[in-house]
Amino acid sequence: MTKVLAFDLGASSGRAVIGNFKNGKLGLNIIKRFDNEPIKKENSLYWNFDQLYQHIKDGILYAQEDNKIQTLGIDTWGVDFGLIDEFGNLIQNPKHYRNVQTDEVFNRISDFISLQELYECTGNQVMKINTLFQLLALREQEPKNFFKARKLLMISDFFNYKLTGKMRTENSIASTTQMTNPYSKKWSKKIIDSFNLNSQLFPEIVDEGNNLGIIDPSLELGNVQVINVSQHDTASAIISIPFTEPSIFISCGTWSLVGTELEHPILNKKAREYNLTNEAGYDKTTDFLKNCTGLWIVQELKRNYESEHLDLTYDQITNLAKKEKNHCFIDTDDDIFSSPGDMRKKISYYAKQTHQLAPNTIGGFFKCAYESLAKKYQKTIDEIELTTNMKFQKIHIVGGGSKSEYFCQMIADVTNKKVLAGPTEATAMGNILIQLISLGEISDVKEARSIVSNSIELKEYIPKD
């Protein structure tokens, strides 16, 4: 039996997962869960690097107690980064994307390059949280820290560096920065030069599956190889989707990534107008998608009620929402919903501004959030079909959202497409599958997806009239 270890750092929590591969089937064992909450300091949010690094080391040691793991891989969400000084140290805890102040820089982008040219150079959905805009804002707001920097490392790259001492950037995580060429999968000289950035700041980009090296023996964590998996969590999740035909995928968690897998990038006028993104997939493929707000609003509503000592389970939330008829639809991607806070007040304000009837019950607020998100998926899928000139019959939903039968059926009904739900731990599973390919235990992604089909049972939802 081959055993490998995946660390998946999600938007609110992290997990250490052992993958057990035997007789053509893959089993997952979650050995450690931990919080991944940002630190709040002087009205800013920062990654809690020290705590997360300790969780990673603890997870490795715990995995070694009963298992002999051969490799490990770390995935995170994209866009956020840390800066390393001349001595190889982190200059400061990186800022969390939910609290970066990029508006002023974003509004002056045309001083350097047009938004059209920016899209044509990178293929990335233009979002204020993207690494490029965060970096430019840091140069203006904290020049002392910016000019100390000798290297920029994405979050997962930094943890790999702490374990091995090697600075590399993996392909998929690099493609979230708005600074790479979607065809060559390398740093874009045009973007770096246009914004007067130092090319030495950016490490070599390596492919997913690259064997970065053995964990530094001085850490006393065992003789384990660190693999550059598809370090963008979405790219890892897509590896685990058992496609049998071209389909839509929805990686549904705090964020929702709605898209399809293509052989080549699409940079046409429709793609730019719809703000669709081209990110690097496995083996030079393109994950053609849109980043949408996911279950964030639902999660914040749940926290709002918990702060008032009303602890609701998701089953209770579903039962309350089922009883309601929704009269209010919100744009879940509106800036008003992007930051933490009382979502009930924000929804009510949005309803008033758009001349709608605001919810006035617990179930009503959740119903509004779920139905609005399903409508957002429908709109995004329509845009992808128009841009690709393809008509998709199936939607694969993976991640935490795939566990909600209520929401999956709603998506099937709203989009009028068959929904296949699972795997839930798609990101960790994809992370593990890439490690197994790197070890030679699995030949390629086609075989990996066949193994997923043998290892889990997908739940099917048929649209109702």
Side-chain angles (χ1 to χ4, degrees), residues 441-456:
E441 296 286 335
I442 298 174
S443 59
D444 53 24
V445 168
K446 183 178 180 181
E447 183 184 355
R449 287 172 171 158
S450 176
I451 288 165
V452 174
S453 295
N454 293 334
S455 304
I456 66 163

Side-chain angles (χ1 to χ4, degrees), residues 28 51 196 235 329 372 378 395 413 449:
L28 303 185
Q51 184 181 81
N196 301 314
F329 290 94
S372 298
Q378 178 196 32
I395 300 172
D413 296 342
R449 287 172 171 158

Side-chain angles (χ1 to χ4, degrees), residues 134-189:
Q134 290 198 48
L135 186 62
L136 296 175
L138 186 70
R139 181 167 68 183
E140 290 195 2
Q141 297 162 12
E142 301 179 40
K144 184 177 179 181
N145 286 333
F146 176 86
F147 288 107
K148 277 184 186 177
R150 294 297 177 267
K151 278 288 184 282
L152 179 150
L153 292 177
M154 304 302 285
I155 301 297
S156 49
D157 295 322
F158 175 76
F159 288 121
N160 286 341
Y161 161 64
K162 290 287 284 183
L163 292 172
T164 66
K166 296 182 180 179
M167 297 188 194
R168 302 288 188 276
T169 294
E170 183 274 327
N171 190 21
S172 70
I173 202 80
S175 74
T176 71
T177 62
Q178 199 128 48
M179 290 187 282
T180 60
N181 182 297
Y183 294 102
S184 69
K185 316 293 186 187
K186 302 299 180 185
W187 298 113
S188 168
K189 186 176 187 302

Side-chain angles (χ1 to χ4, degrees), residues 60-336:
I60 297 169
L61 289 173
Y62 187 72
Q64 298 284 45
E65 289 180 7
D66 300 313
N67 307 272
K68 183 165 178 57
I69 57 169
Q70 294 177 247
T71 60
L72 69 82
I74 302 171
D75 66 75
T76 66
W77 68 77
V79 305
D80 287 352
F81 61 92
L83 295 178
I84 310 300
D85 67 16
E86 62 183 313
F87 304 107
N89 299 318
L90 187 66
I91 293 172
Q92 68 170 4
N93 271 351
K95 289 190 174 179
H96 192 285
Y97 72 91
R98 286 206 181 274
N99 199 233
V100 293
Q101 305 300 317
T102 59
D103 287 0
E104 288 187 16
V105 164
F106 187 82
N107 292 334
R108 297 199 312 275
I109 288 301
S110 58
D111 293 345
F112 300 91
I113 193 172
S114 70
L115 290 180
Q116 178 178 340
E117 192 173 8
L118 179 62
Y119 186 82
E120 290 170 351
C121 285
T122 66
N124 279 155
Q125 178 180 354
V126 180
M127 300 174 69
K128 293 178 183 179
I129 64 173
N130 286 353
T131 310
L132 173 63
F133 307 126
Q134 290 198 48
L135 186 62
L136 296 175
L138 186 70
R139 181 167 68 183
E140 290 195 2
Q141 297 162 12
E142 301 179 40
K144 184 177 179 181
N145 286 333
F146 176 86
F147 288 107
K148 277 184 186 177
R150 294 297 177 267
K151 278 288 184 282
L152 179 150
L153 292 177
M154 304 302 285
I155 301 297
S156 49
D157 295 322
F158 175 76
F159 288 121
N160 286 341
Y161 161 64
K162 290 287 284 183
L163 292 172
T164 66
K166 296 182 180 179
M167 297 188 194
R168 302 288 188 276
T169 294
E170 183 274 327
N171 190 21
S172 70
I173 202 80
S175 74
T176 71
T177 62
Q178 199 128 48
M179 290 187 282
T180 60
N181 182 297
Y183 294 102
S184 69
K185 316 293 186 187
K186 302 299 180 185
W187 298 113
S188 168
K189 186 176 187 302
K190 171 74 174 175
I191 297 301
I192 290 170
D193 290 348
S194 294
F195 291 96
N196 301 314
L197 296 170
N198 181 358
S199 63
Q200 297 301 309
L201 197 60
F202 306 100
E204 174 190 351
I205 294 177
V206 296
D207 289 338
E208 64 288 314
N210 175 64
N211 189 332
L212 187 62
I214 298 173
I215 293 178
D216 187 335
S218 68
L219 297 175
E220 298 182 346
L221 296 173
N223 186 28
V224 181
Q225 298 279 346
V226 176
I227 304 296
N228 293 111
V229 296
S230 286
Q231 290 172 205
H232 185 210
D233 49 12
T234 302
S236 267
I238 292 167
I239 297 295
S240 73
I241 300 175
F243 295 118
T244 57
E245 61 188 83
S247 302
I248 292 290
F249 63 77
I250 301 177
S251 181
C252 182
T254 301
W255 281 88
S256 286
L257 292 302
V258 184
T260 191
E261 188 178 62
L262 299 175
E263 299 257 337
H264 305 289
I266 296 180
L267 303 175
N268 60 26
K269 183 179 179 182
K270 282 183 181 176
R272 177 168 52 83
E273 288 177 349
Y274 292 142
N275 211 11
L276 295 164
T277 198
N278 296 267
E279 294 181 358
Y282 187 85
D283 194 22
K284 309 301 182 186
T285 58
T286 292
D287 298 333
F288 187 63
L289 55 88
K290 178 175 277 191
N291 291 273
C292 305
T293 296
L295 295 172
W296 162 252
I297 296 173
V298 172
Q299 293 164 348
E300 278 294 282
L301 281 169
K302 188 173 184 291
R303 278 190 281 268
N304 295 155
Y305 287 110
E306 286 171 355
S307 70
E308 297 170 357
H309 309 292
L310 181 57
D311 294 337
L312 296 167
T313 66
Y314 281 105
D315 285 341
Q316 290 172 322
I317 288 169
T318 296
N319 290 332
L320 289 169
K322 281 180 177 178
K323 297 174 183 177
E324 301 289 336
K325 184 170 179 61
N326 182 36
H327 299 283
C328 176
F329 290 94
I330 60 174
D331 179 357
T332 51
D333 287 335
D334 192 283
D335 285 346
I336 191 176

Side-chain angles (χ1 to χ4, degrees), residues 337-402:
F337 303 112
S338 65
S339 58
D342 191 332
M343 288 296 166
R344 296 163 299 186
K345 290 181 179 178
K346 295 182 180 190
I347 290 171
S348 297
Y349 175 80
Y350 187 94
K352 182 178 180 181
Q353 296 299 112
T354 52
H355 311 292
Q356 299 184 81
L357 185 63
N360 58 9
T361 64
I362 295 172
F365 280 109
F366 283 107
K367 183 87 164 189
C368 170
Y370 277 123
E371 285 200 346
S372 298
L373 184 54
K375 285 282 190 182
K376 174 64 70 171
Y377 291 165
Q378 178 196 32
K379 180 176 183 293
T380 303
I381 292 167
D382 287 346
E383 293 170 349
I384 291 169
E385 289 184 334
L386 285 168
T387 305
T388 60
N389 291 317
M390 300 170 73
K391 193 73 177 175
F392 302 97
Q393 304 302 317
K394 294 178 183 176
I395 300 172
H396 284 265
I397 298 182
V398 298
S402 68

